């Protein structure tokens, strides 16, 4: 059932969907003329049938429209289509001139030799109004080609809109049981013709993507466009309903007030229902807009907090290493010819350490900024935990050895996870560096990977200075300013742990810390696991 509904909705959304209904009406009318059944060519014996020339015109122009709008057709095919559309427009122009100047060309005798009469109205003749509407349609068809300029599409859409308006007026006449032009000298437009003109004009308007003057007046005003979209169908529906009730369920010959009361009651009931429905839809949309606005405002506070965080980091954490750089470099420059080599080496080590700290701070800041802008690609793949740990520790062991810290890791060789290579290495590097930073000389760091049912838990624990309970919640919160100097006066931004949280959650995992002041810390995070595989 859902599949059938989806197919139906897809069919309705197609720009040429109404064109197929038009072709059905026109083909049915053509069969009526061929087999002499006037009823199916007029929908009612009270009204004139659709002329054969109009039937042929609707069918040919529909085919030309389908060809003209197909971007895959060859240039020659489209050129021939254009020529035939111009010929159709010229033919309709001759019919209009024949009526306008009372000429005796009788060019429609080619299709029907002896037209009948319905009262004073000839049957089988194209109305001069129909001829003008066909010319408008030809202009609309020529205006929808893909490579046309905006001005040409604008002109074609405007003529299509004019056709829709005129055909709507003609249909309203039939709806209220008072067809236009039946009592005059002008040949009336038949009911099937009016319906086909409206369907054709709607198709053209959809094909031109609403490029016409009335839409251009309201397209930049979202409120006006929403109100028209909501309430214009109500007005149209009321007009149609009232005309239908007045024509079909009329008791005017018996009790005119009863007729008016019934019509008014039904119109009011339907209007109330539609207004409630539109109000509910508009209310739901308004709530969505309000929720989106609140979420946008929340993100904008968040952005301000990030900005403040960066300013504090730049103003606080970067000043210290740069003061060291400036101070020791000035001392070195001032006394380089007098200082002993050991003193020069001592000052250069401080300069190098300050430069390294500054570099690490900038790397964290730039990495965090890239994550917030979405510029870091996420490429998960099958990775072996043991191999990643070996590569990471190979880089970090010299830093640990400088503080006489031992790093041990315990993990089975077969544990494989789904993770981004660069992100996982960044998480491990930051956690291990963090442990080295807050562990005293002679301490130890232990890394362990443990399999669970659907994930692996990786822990990086140390026996360092630990974290106070009131500071634990600040570690993974960008809005909290929390940095601590390491055991060897190492500085940091605190962004390293934020990057770890960002990357772990990107994998669908979680990260947390267990710590007690003076007794070390244990940072843990989870990743999706592949059981029983070796990468």
């Amino acid at each position: 059932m859902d599949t059938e509904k989806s197919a139906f909705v897809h069919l309705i959304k197609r720009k040429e969907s109404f064109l197929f209904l038009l072709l059905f009406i026109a083909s049915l009318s053509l069969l009526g003329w061929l087999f002499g059944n006037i009823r199916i060519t007029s929908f009612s014996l009270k009204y004139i049938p659709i002329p054969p020339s109009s039937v042929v015109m609707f069918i040919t122009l529909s085919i030309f429209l389908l060809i003209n709008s197909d971007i895959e057709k060859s240039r020659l095919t489209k050129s021939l289509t254009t020529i035939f559309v111009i010929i159709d427009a010229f033919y309709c122009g001759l019919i209009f001139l024949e009526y306008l100047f009372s000429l005796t060309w009788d060019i429609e005798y080619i299709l029907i030799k002896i037209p009948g009469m319905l009262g004073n109205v000839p049957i089988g003749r194209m109305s001069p109004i129909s001829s003008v509407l066909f010319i408008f349609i030809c202009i609309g068809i020529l205006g929808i080609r893909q490579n046309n300029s905006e001005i040409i599409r604008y002109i074609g859409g405007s003529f299509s809109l004019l056709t829709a308006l005129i055909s709507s007026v003609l249909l309203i006449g039939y709806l209220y049981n008072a067809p236009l032009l039946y009592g005059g000298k002008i040949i009336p437009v038949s009911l099937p013709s009016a319906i086909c003109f409206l369907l054709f004009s709607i198709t053209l308007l959809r094909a031109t993507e609403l490029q016409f003057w009335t839409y251009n007046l309201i397209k930049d005003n979202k409120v006006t466009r929403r109100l028209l979209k909501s309430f214009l169908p109500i007005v149209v529906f009321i007009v149609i309903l009232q005309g239908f009730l007045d024509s079909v369920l009329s008791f005017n010959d018996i009790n005119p007030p009863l007729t008016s009361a019934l019509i008014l009651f039904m119109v009011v009931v339907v209007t109330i229902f539609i207004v409630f429905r539109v109000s509910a839809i508009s209310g739901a949309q308004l709530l969505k807009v309000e929720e989106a606005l609140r979420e946008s405002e929340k993100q904008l506070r968040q952005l301000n907090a990030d900005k403040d965080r960066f300013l504090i980091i730049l103003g606080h954490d970067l000043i210290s290493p740069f003061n060291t750089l400036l101070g020791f470099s000035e001392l070195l420059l001032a006394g380089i010819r007098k200082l002993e080599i050991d003193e020069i080496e001592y000052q250069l080590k401080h300069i190098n350490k300050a430069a390294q700290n500054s570099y690490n701070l900038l790397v964290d800041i730039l990495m965090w900024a890239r994550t917030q802008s979405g510029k870091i690609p996420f490429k998960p793949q099958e990775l072996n935990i043991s191999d990643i740990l070996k590569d990471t520790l190979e880089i970090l062991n010299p830093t640990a050895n400088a503080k006489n810290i031992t790093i041990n890791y315990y993990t089975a060789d077969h544990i494989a996870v789904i993770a981004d290579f660069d992100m996982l290495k960044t998480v491990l590097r930051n956690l291990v560096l963090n442990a080295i930073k807050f562990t005293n000389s002679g301490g130890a760091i232990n890394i362990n990977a443990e399999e669970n049912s659907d994930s692996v838990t990786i822990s990086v624990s140390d026996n360092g200075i630990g974290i106070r309970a009131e500071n634990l919640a600040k570690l993974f919160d960008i809005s909290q300013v929390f940095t601590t100097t390491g055991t060897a006066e190492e500085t940091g931004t605190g962004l390293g742990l934020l990057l770890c949280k960002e990357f772990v959650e990107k994998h669908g995992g979680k990260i947390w810390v267990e710590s007690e002041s003076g007794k070390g810390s244990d940072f843990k995070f989870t990743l999706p696991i592949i059981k029983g595989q070796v990468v």
Side-chain angles (χ1 to χ4, degrees):
M1 184 66 181
D2 292 338
T3 304
E4 295 175 355
K5 182 179 179 181
S6 176
F8 177 75
V9 172
H10 178 71
L11 178 64
I12 292 297
K13 286 184 177 181
R14 291 181 59 179
K15 294 179 180 179
E16 68 275 12
S17 57
F18 288 115
L19 209 59
F20 299 124
L21 178 58
L22 183 154
L23 285 170
F24 173 76
I25 296 173
S27 301
L28 195 64
S29 300
L30 183 60
L31 290 176
W33 278 106
L34 292 176
F35 293 99
N37 190 335
I38 302 300
R39 180 184 294 273
I40 64 174
T41 65
S42 61
F43 294 174
S44 173
L45 294 177
K46 293 169 54 179
Y47 306 129
I48 64 171
I50 181 172
S53 54
S54 295
V55 172
V56 174
M57 195 66 66
F58 278 123
I59 294 175
T60 55
L61 288 178
S62 298
I63 296 173
F64 294 155
L65 174 60
L66 292 173
I67 295 175
N68 199 48
S69 59
D70 188 350
I71 59 175
E72 296 182 357
K73 295 296 181 183
S74 65
R75 193 175 224 172
L76 176 62
T77 302
K78 289 193 172 184
S79 298
L80 291 175
T81 302
T82 301
I83 293 173
F84 284 121
V85 171
I86 294 174
I87 291 174
D88 284 348
F90 179 74
Y91 172 77
C92 294
L94 290 179
I95 293 177
F96 180 74
L97 292 176
E98 180 183 358
Y99 169 81
L100 187 64
F101 296 105
S102 300
L103 302 176
T104 57
W105 294 337
D106 287 333
I107 59 175
E108 285 186 274
Y109 273 121
I110 299 173
L111 294 173
I112 183 167
K113 298 297 183 180
I114 306 174
M117 299 289 289
L118 182 64
N120 295 324
V121 178
I123 295 176
R125 285 286 183 261
M126 182 187 294
S127 169
I129 296 179
S130 295
S131 66
V132 173
L133 293 180
F134 276 124
I135 294 174
F136 290 171
I137 285 178
C138 290
I139 296 174
I141 293 175
L142 296 177
I144 65 170
R145 189 167 293 180
Q146 295 292 328
N147 57 355
N148 281 342
S149 65
E150 288 295 321
I151 296 178
I152 296 178
R153 295 174 67 86
Y154 178 88
I155 293 173
S158 299
F159 275 101
S160 301
L161 176 64
L162 188 58
T163 305
L165 294 176
I166 295 175
S167 58
S168 298
V169 172
L170 295 172
L171 277 176
I172 290 174
Y174 281 101
L175 186 65
Y176 281 85
N177 204 21
L180 303 179
L181 310 178
Y182 265 72
K185 296 181 180 179
I186 301 178
I187 304 174
V189 177
S190 67
L191 177 58
S193 294
I195 295 174
C196 289
F197 277 124
L198 182 61
L199 294 175
F200 214 124
S201 60
I202 293 175
T203 302
L204 286 173
L205 290 175
R206 297 176 73 179
T208 55
E209 298 177 349
L210 303 180
Q211 294 292 325
F212 50 86
W213 66 273
T214 51
Y215 181 74
N216 290 345
L217 292 176
I218 64 172
K219 68 178 181 180
D220 295 328
N221 191 322
K222 294 183 178 180
V223 176
T224 303
R225 188 166 70 244
R226 183 173 294 277
L227 288 175
L228 282 176
K229 184 178 180 180
S230 300
F231 290 100
L232 185 59
I234 297 177
V235 176
V236 174
F237 181 80
I238 290 175
V239 172
I240 294 174
L241 178 63
Q242 185 173 354
F244 175 78
L245 294 176
D246 194 33
S247 300
V248 178
L249 300 179
S250 178
F251 301 102
N252 278 329
D253 296 336
I254 304 173
N255 192 335
L258 178 60
T259 299
S260 301
L262 287 174
I263 292 174
L264 179 61
F265 174 76
M266 297 183 70
V267 168
V268 168
V269 170
V270 173
T271 303
I272 292 175
F273 171 78
I274 295 178
V275 169
F276 270 105
R277 180 62 179 164
V278 171
S279 300
I281 295 174
S282 300
Q285 293 175 341
L286 182 60
L287 287 176
K288 288 182 180 179
V289 171
E290 290 178 349
E291 290 175 1
L293 181 61
R294 283 195 295 268
E295 183 63 25
S296 178
E297 291 176 347
K298 182 179 179 181
Q299 292 176 358
L300 180 63
R301 286 190 291 276
Q302 185 63 37
L303 289 175
N304 285 334
D306 293 349
K307 179 196 69 175
D308 294 339
R309 173 69 165 162
F310 284 129
L311 290 176
I312 291 173
I313 290 169
L314 291 173
H316 179 268
D317 293 325
L318 287 178
I319 283 180
S320 179
F322 272 104
N323 282 337
T324 302
L325 283 171
L326 292 172
F328 277 99
S329 62
E330 288 174 359
L331 289 174
L332 192 61
L333 284 173
I336 192 168
R337 298 183 183 277
K338 303 176 183 178
L339 296 174
E340 297 292 334
I341 189 66
D342 292 341
E343 183 65 23
I344 293 175
E345 183 180 5
Y346 171 79
Q347 294 186 12
L348 284 175
K349 284 183 178 178
H350 277 78
I351 291 174
N352 179 264
K353 184 177 180 181
Q356 185 64 44
N357 287 336
S358 300
Y359 174 79
N360 291 335
L361 291 173
L362 289 174
V363 167
D364 283 348
I365 292 173
L366 292 175
M367 181 71 76
W368 174 253
R370 289 182 65 197
T371 61
Q372 299 307 296
S373 63
K375 293 183 178 180
I376 296 182
F378 179 57
K379 300 178 180 179
Q381 56 182 307
E382 297 182 13
L383 299 174
N384 184 277
I385 286 292
S386 180
D387 292 341
I388 298 294
L389 280 174
K390 289 177 183 177
D391 292 340
T392 303
L393 296 182
E394 186 176 345
I395 298 173
L396 298 181
N397 271 326
T399 305
N401 293 334
K403 292 184 70 175
N404 194 26
I405 294 174
T406 303
I407 300 179
N408 306 303
Y409 72 92
Y410 310 92
T411 177
D413 290 335
H414 70 274
I415 300 179
V417 295
I418 296 292
D420 182 282
F421 178 79
D422 293 325
M423 289 187 179
L424 179 55
K425 289 193 69 173
T426 299
V427 172
L428 290 171
R429 184 176 67 250
N430 274 286
L431 293 181
V432 174
L433 281 174
N434 205 55
I436 295 173
K437 176 181 175 182
F438 296 108
T439 300
N440 291 305
S441 177
I445 297 171
N446 296 317
I447 305 173
N448 185 51
E450 181 181 350
E451 286 185 276
N452 305 310
S453 59
D454 57 355
S455 64
V456 60
T457 300
I458 303 171
S459 63
V460 179
S461 60
D462 62 70
N463 57 359
I465 61 177
I467 306 169
R468 292 180 180 177
E470 64 269 20
N471 292 328
L472 288 176
K474 300 178 182 178
L475 295 178
F476 301 108
D477 188 355
I478 182 64
S479 64
Q480 302 288 333
V481 180
F482 178 68
T483 56
T484 305
T485 303
T487 56
E489 301 301 319
E490 301 100 326
T491 59
T493 63
L495 289 178
L497 291 179
L498 295 176
L499 284 173
C500 292
K501 180 176 185 291
E502 187 93 15
F503 290 164
V504 169
E505 291 181 348
K506 189 80 171 177
H507 290 79
K510 62 179 182 178
I511 186 170
W512 69 97
V513 60
E514 299 170 358
S515 181
E516 186 177 346
S517 181
K519 296 185 178 180
S521 302
D522 188 5
F523 284 84
K524 298 180 180 182
F525 67 96
T526 61
L527 290 173
I529 195 173
I530 306 174
K531 299 200 70 175
Q533 293 189 29
V534 179
V535 181

